[in-house]
Amino acid sequence: MAEQAQAEPAAHGHGRVLAALSLVAALTLASASAIAVYGLDRYLARQQTHDLRRVASLLASRVALLPGGIDDKPAIEAEVASMAQAADARLTVVAADGRMIAGSAVQAAFVENLADRIEVIAAARDGLGVAERESTTLGGRHLYVAVPIRIADRLVGFARAARPSTHFADALSLTVPLLTYLTIAAAMTLVLGHLARQRIARQSVRLINTAEAAAARAAESERRLTEAQRIAKIGSWDWDRESNAARWSDNLYRMFGVEPGAFAPTLEQYLEFIHPDDRDAVRLAARRVMEQGIPVAMDTRIVRPDGRTIIGHMRGQAVTDEHGNPVRLVGTIVDVTDVRHAEAARQAAEEQFRDFVETTNEWIWTFDTRGTLLYSNAAVKNILGYDIDELIGREVLHLLHPDDQAAIQAALPEMVRQKAHWTGVVRRWLHRNGEWRYVESNGTPMLDRNGVVRGFRGSARDITERTLAEEAFRKSEERFQLAARASNDVLWDWDFATGDIWRSEAIRRVFGHADVANERWDAMLHPQERQLVGERLKEFLDSTRETWVAEYRFQRGDGSYAWVLDRGIVVRDEDGRPLRMIGTMMDITERKEAERMKSDFVSFVSHQLRTPLSGMNWMLELAAEARDLPPQAAEYVADARESAARLGRLVNDLLDIARLESGRTLMAQEPVRLDEVTRSVLREMNAVIVDKRHTVRFDPDGAGPAFADQQMMRQVIANLVSNAIKYTPDGGQIDITMVQRTDRVEWSVRDNGMGIPQAAQGRLFEKFYRADNAISREAEGTGLGLHLVRLVVEHAGGQVWCESEEGRGSRFAFTLPSAQTEGADA
Amino acid sequence: MSAPPRVLLVEDDKFLRRACEASLRQRGFEVTTANDGEEGLRLARSVPYADIILLDLLMPKMPGVDVLRALKAHPETASIPVLILSNSSREDDKQQALQLGAAGYYVKANLSLRELALQVDRLVHGNAAH
């Protein structure tokens, strides 16, 4: 612009004033650009050009007031008039250019960088603030000029350097921009006119000299404008129709990748740089702006000589003459490559997020503050059974459970006020099929520009299955807890993977253990049973059995011992390894105590019975040996001896049972060869067998040893064999067999005797029980033998039973844990 | 013909004492009797020593176990075989007596006099063989 101003043909003086005014115009344009670049609106630019016109007309009016006696008044009048004219013409262009640049630049600044834009606008406002404060008085009127601070600073320096007179030192000590200086110069002329023509002339010359200096400054201004364009990535151009001469700003050349002024810019030259695919569109736009005055606003790809393609946003507008014919085109090109690339990247990112949202199972939604569904992804169908279209734009809170709906409506105002976020909130929604679904959501508020909540967005998921399962679990757990509390049994749960044993709180209530978690179970057992129970437990766990039963003494919190009945089941993996064992411990101390007292009583009585019994036995034995006993008496003595012997057996059985029931006699768990025991018993009873002419067969079938107490098993087998001999008519058949099962040995004796009535079979193993036909047949039984058998066998972890048919015979059998080591012969 | 074997019978029940004494005398033993533990121990320590001692456990004044312990503690009586004749079939009692050095343990109610005489005879002659 400054170049143009200097290029104007001008007479001496005339030309200088005009040059000064051109400088003003250039600065105005620069300031307008600067303002525009910094994002201010066009109004200010227009306002400035308006002020320029006012300055020109003010100058004219003041010159007219000069006294007629001044020699060069006509010349000055003429100069000012032509200056005003020229200013008007320039201003038209300047205003158009300014608007143009401002219009483009606003966008350029906007897209460049959000953070920078805000900062720069703030700076520009500050500059203008200074400018607005700059004012001076001329003829009682106030003149306001908006000048960016950068320029204002320079002009103030300029005005101070050109200070014409000390008389006006005060006035000029103000920080005055150039326009203000000009008006002051004019006012000075008026004042000086009253003093001396010569001085006026000198002052005028000084004014003009000053204007000359200002012109030099204009070049700097142009440089600044170029700098501003470079920063804003703007290039400007204009094209004169008549001369077909175009001008590009330096930065436009640089944008195109060439040195400024490297070629004369023509439309054709310009098109060379345009990507071939975009050229037609550019030609069409050029035609439309020239012929129809339609402004250009389009993106074009510019291929630079270095091969880089940039995207330029081109704007152009026609400048028309007084007839409305376009005489010039002015415009800008903004490098928007980065912007467009950023836009493309943003679009790709948006697409990615859209894909996430559309494919996820999470229900993604946006509600306004009244509960209207503004957005939803398709996942809503899985949760509520509706298509998106059926719900979007509708108020959907009525699909909530009434309780939840009321809760939300009550909470909404507060949520809006507090800009509430939430996570993991569960609400019940009505599915289209009438079922309630538990839906868990996270949400965040959507704020408008003023920070007011306009709605909420977030995500939700259906947790119905989980919730119902949890609910069921909670109920089950509650039921269990109540049952555990109601019971006096200690429930325990042993996890083999961790070794942890959980126990119910009854351990505290019943056994007084404050801390139960880390106690080791076997450390609480009575030392007398600890090893045996431990071995039995190990043996049980190594077996494939499922149920565990044990009685032992268990230490209470106070150190005393309680008798417990410990029962449990074990859960095993497919290889039979125990995973978990769960069961109960019942306090049976009272029962045991009663048993013990009973047993002590029995023991005492039995012992006391034995002494007179021994006396009877021995006296009768002496009597039987007496030589001179009458035959009748000898017979009586023999009968008495038999009765005494039976009493002796009864006492022995009673003692054994009492001891077994008291648990004080712990039977050994040793491998017992049942076949050997059986043979030994048969040898002992051989006399009776022969006497009754029974046939006895024994088939051990290679069965291995069993875990039991050797002595006790001897009694068990003796009892069973003796029963078979006793309750089978003479000449009977007795078969004893053994079978090796996987983990146990089965022993049985079968006879073809009188059998046992059906009704009696279930009670056979009870203490003191005797079947009716046994009593009528044989008076010798005590009713304790089978009970003893059961006690011994069950104590050893086995089972005993009987199969019988009255009149045809019986079979008594028991099993015991096998002591067969793996790999041994079966 | 050697002197008949001397048996010391320590038993508080008079019927048992009588029956046992009669049976053993009939079978040719020389029998001395004591009514309680103290008397038993005193007689056991008197010369001539018995060839065998039959000892009850549950007795007034001194239990049989203490008598047994005292006999085994004294070198001059330690080698005399002692047969325990009790009416307790408790395993603990039996084990204790055997550990203290008793030569045998019998429940009187389950023992005939004939069998007792056989055991005494066996022990005495086993002892005499030395």
Side-chain angles (χ1 to χ4, degrees), chain A residues 612-622 641 644-645, chain B residues 108-110:
Chain A
L613 182 62
S614 311
M616 281 162 64
N617 276 338
W618 288 358
M619 288 302 181
L620 287 169
E621 192 179 345
L622 284 175
R641 286 189 76 188
Chain B
K108 287 174 279 191
N110 298 337

Side-chain angles (χ1 to χ4, degrees), chain A residues 690-765:
Chain A
V690 168
D691 191 41
K692 292 199 77 172
R693 292 179 286 107
H694 287 321
T695 309
V696 178
R697 284 189 303 214
F698 175 46
D699 179 12
D701 195 29
F707 272 120
D709 180 297
Q710 172 102 19
Q711 278 308 112
M712 285 298 185
M713 282 320 295
R714 187 182 176 81
Q715 194 161 351
V716 165
I717 290 173
N719 282 2
L720 292 174
V721 172
S722 118
N723 277 354
I725 293 167
K726 224 183 300 177
Y727 297 112
T728 302
D730 291 2
Q733 174 73 45
I734 294 168
D735 290 316
I736 303 169
T737 51
M738 286 174 66
V739 182
Q740 174 76 46
R741 308 272 186 214
T742 324
D743 61 342
R744 56 197 59 214
V745 176
E746 186 178 312
W747 185 98
S748 69
V749 55
R750 182 193 296 278
D751 64 56
N752 61 349
M754 56 203 272
I756 301 152
Q758 191 71 32
Q761 286 179 19
R763 300 187 57 195
L764 271 183
F765 296 97

Side-chain angles (χ1 to χ4, degrees), chain A residues 210-282:
Chain A
T210 305
E212 245 180 352
R217 297 277 184 175
E220 169 69 8
S221 172
E222 171 72 5
R223 200 187 59 73
R224 297 255 170 177
L225 174 64
T226 303
E227 178 71 6
Q229 284 200 350
R230 194 185 60 74
I231 290 165
K233 292 190 174 183
I234 293 178
S236 60
W237 52 268
D238 65 60
W239 176 67
D240 189 85
R241 187 179 196 178
E242 208 176 296
S243 64
N244 192 24
R247 241 193 106 255
W248 284 17
S249 71
D250 290 355
N251 201 48
L252 190 55
Y253 282 107
R254 289 192 194 98
M255 268 168 62
F256 276 57
V258 293
E259 281 300 307
F263 49 81
T266 62
L267 182 61
E268 289 68 32
Q269 187 68 48
Y270 169 67
L271 283 171
E272 283 292 301
F273 284 88
I274 302 299
H275 191 282
D277 293 351
D278 293 348
R279 283 177 193 162
D280 285 347
V282 172

Side-chain angles (χ1 to χ4, degrees), chain A residues 804-822:
Chain A
S804 181
E805 201 178 322
E806 202 172 359
R808 305 199 57 165
S810 307
R811 177 174 177 266
F812 282 82
F814 65 80
T815 58
L816 287 174
S818 172
Q820 181 99 294
T821 45
E822 218 165 315

